[in-house]
Amino acid sequence: MSCCLRWRTRKIKGHQVHLDVDPKAIPSHSKSYSIPKLNDLEFRKELHHVVQIGVLRPCGPIEWAVLTFVIPKKDGRVRWISDFRELNKALK
């Protein structure tokens, strides 16, 4: 699953984001960090929530994948951090 939206983004029904990537760009496929067992349950709950409200959706194999990891918040939830620098370089 890939993510490029903030969790509290308002849902715009029927609107998909399209990124215009330079066709000459070589796709970058970074491996995600593993999720610490301590944060695993909260991570899965947040993932389920954003899929349920339509912010994210499952997708098949992809060419571009960004480095992603989670950081625990003070309230026990987790924040997803994604590094889009390589993808940003390839945008027109």
Side-chain angles (χ1 to χ4, degrees), residues 26-89:
I26 299 170
S28 172
H29 202 285
S30 302
K31 181 181 173 185
S32 295
Y33 289 114
S34 60
I35 298 166
K37 291 190 184 295
L38 178 66
N39 304 118
D40 189 58
L41 178 61
E42 200 58 42
F43 168 80
R44 291 180 185 281
K45 285 178 7 185
E46 186 69 13
L47 176 60
H48 179 72
H49 172 72
V50 295
V51 169
Q52 291 293 82
I53 64 172
V55 173
L56 296 179
R57 65 179 169 80
C59 63
I62 55 174
E63 290 182 320
W64 291 86
V66 298
L67 181 62
T68 302
F69 56 96
V70 297
I71 295 177
K73 294 181 178 182
K74 290 180 182 179
D75 64 3
R77 296 180 300 154
V78 293
R79 172 174 287 132
W80 288 12
I81 307 295
S82 297
D83 182 357
F84 292 103
R85 289 179 290 185
E86 291 302 314
L87 178 59
N88 289 339
K89 290 177 191 175

